């Protein structure tokens, strides 16, 4: 399970947090149904908190203030 992502491109190898943010966005954009924080956590084998952090860091993604990850839908404000 991913609990941490590398934050500095000059350190080691692995999944960069910026790439995870992009992947979350692509999953939201290309899905034909609404995607929840829980769906994304399951798809990427990570925690809901890390998904929320990626959504918060993405320029066009947002969620509503629902504490339950299964009910917290990720939406896009961009095209």
């Amino acid at each position: 399970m991913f609990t941490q992502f590398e934050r500095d491109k000059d350190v080691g190898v692995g999944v960069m947090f910026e790439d995870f943010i992009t992947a979350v966005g692509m999953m939201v954009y290309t899905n034909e149904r609404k995607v929840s924080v829980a769906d994304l956590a399951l798809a990427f084998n990570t925690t809901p908190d890390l998904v929320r952090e990626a959504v918060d860091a993405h320029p066009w993604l947002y969620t509503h203030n629902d504490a339950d990850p299964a009910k917290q839908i990720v939406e896009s404000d961009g095209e």
Side-chain angles (χ1 to χ4, degrees):
M1 175 185 291
F2 292 118
T3 55
Q4 288 289 335
F5 289 91
E6 292 188 36
R7 309 277 177 155
D8 186 352
K9 289 186 184 271
D10 297 330
V11 179
V13 296
V15 178
M16 303 300 299
F17 188 66
E18 290 177 5
D19 296 334
F20 177 61
I21 294 168
T22 301
V24 166
M26 292 305 298
M27 183 87 159
V28 171
Y29 300 146
T30 59
N31 235 303
E32 292 182 5
R33 64 177 182 86
K34 293 184 178 184
V35 181
S36 71
V37 169
D39 293 331
L40 292 165
L42 183 63
F44 289 107
N45 193 28
T46 191
T47 64
D49 287 337
L50 203 53
V51 171
R52 288 184 191 111
E53 185 179 344
V55 168
D56 288 342
H58 194 285
W60 298 318
L61 296 181
Y62 65 95
T63 60
H64 298 283
N65 296 330
D66 194 329
D68 182 359
K71 295 179 182 176
Q72 194 172 31
I73 302 300
V74 179
E75 298 184 62
S76 173
D77 199 18
E79 292 185 32

